[in-house]
Amino acid sequence: MKTDFKFIVWAWLVLLMAGCVGEKEEPEWYLQPGDALPQFEVTTIEGEKVGSADSYKAELIIVFFNTTCPDCQRELPILQRQYEYNLSLPESERSQYICISREEGAADVEQYWSENHLTLPVSAQDDRNIYSKFASIGIPRIFYAKDGIITKSN
């Protein structure tokens, strides 16, 4: 019985450390601070275009998520509060946010945004085309960029 309990605890810890979707360790190539921001452009559910060129106007905060990911579900309300604070700043001091879904369509993302009262700019992506320019595994994943360069990432 003791062995079964130890195994269950060990298995639980492994799953917890593996990330939201049980992914393997990130390969060495994923983007790091100092790397060039990949060229991309997405359209938000409101129809606004946001992309790498916006990092030359203001700090650009790029958030990759999936609404079924428990870690993402915990992070999104925190990001929402940061976004709301950001909107209270003078326009010249504001960052630009874009949340990009990883393999999740518009209907699911819009429903989640509505149910959770999120106002962060969001772009639904059914695939990993944009995400794969930044990383191969792991969400939530957040990148900060300024002047075409990644300045911080998680």
Side-chain angles (χ1 to χ4, degrees):
M1 183 71 166
K2 239 183 186 179
T3 304
D4 291 340
F5 178 74
K6 284 181 182 178
F7 176 76
I8 291 169
V9 169
W10 178 83
W12 180 79
L13 286 172
V14 167
L15 288 173
L16 184 65
M17 292 186 310
C20 170
V21 289
E23 295 173 329
K24 298 176 186 169
E25 189 174 321
E26 182 67 58
E28 302 247 343
W29 66 265
Y30 81 102
L31 295 178
Q32 299 286 327
D35 290 343
L37 180 65
Q39 296 295 310
F40 77 96
E41 184 176 79
V42 295
T43 303
T44 67
I45 57 176
E46 291 84 20
E48 179 186 355
K49 301 271 188 204
V50 179
S52 49
D54 290 300
S55 75
Y56 291 93
K57 301 174 195 167
E59 178 183 52
L60 180 60
I61 301 170
I62 307 154
V63 179
F64 291 100
F65 73 95
N66 186 291
T67 64
T68 63
C69 164
D71 293 334
C72 299
Q73 292 169 355
R74 284 189 291 279
E75 287 289 324
L76 288 169
I78 295 166
L79 288 163
Q80 177 65 37
R81 288 191 295 278
Q82 291 174 344
Y83 176 69
E84 289 169 3
Y85 172 77
N86 180 64
L87 292 177
S88 73
L89 298 173
E91 195 167 330
S92 63
E93 297 175 26
R94 292 181 192 166
S95 297
Q96 177 153 0
Y97 287 69
I98 183 63
C99 297
I100 303 171
S101 69
R102 187 186 78 172
E103 295 182 307
E104 188 169 23
D108 292 333
V109 171
E110 288 182 53
Q111 179 179 349
Y112 187 86
W113 246 238
S114 176
E115 289 172 356
N116 291 279
H117 311 287
L118 299 175
T119 60
L120 288 151
V122 63
S123 175
Q125 302 292 312
D126 291 326
D127 53 33
R128 288 187 181 213
N129 288 340
I130 302 295
Y131 177 80
S132 66
K133 293 180 178 198
F134 290 81
S136 62
I137 59 171
I139 52 174
R141 179 145 338 242
I142 304 170
F143 294 90
Y144 299 77
K146 182 74 178 136
D147 298 325
I149 302 295
I150 304 278
T151 58
K152 185 173 153 185
S153 66
N154 76 335

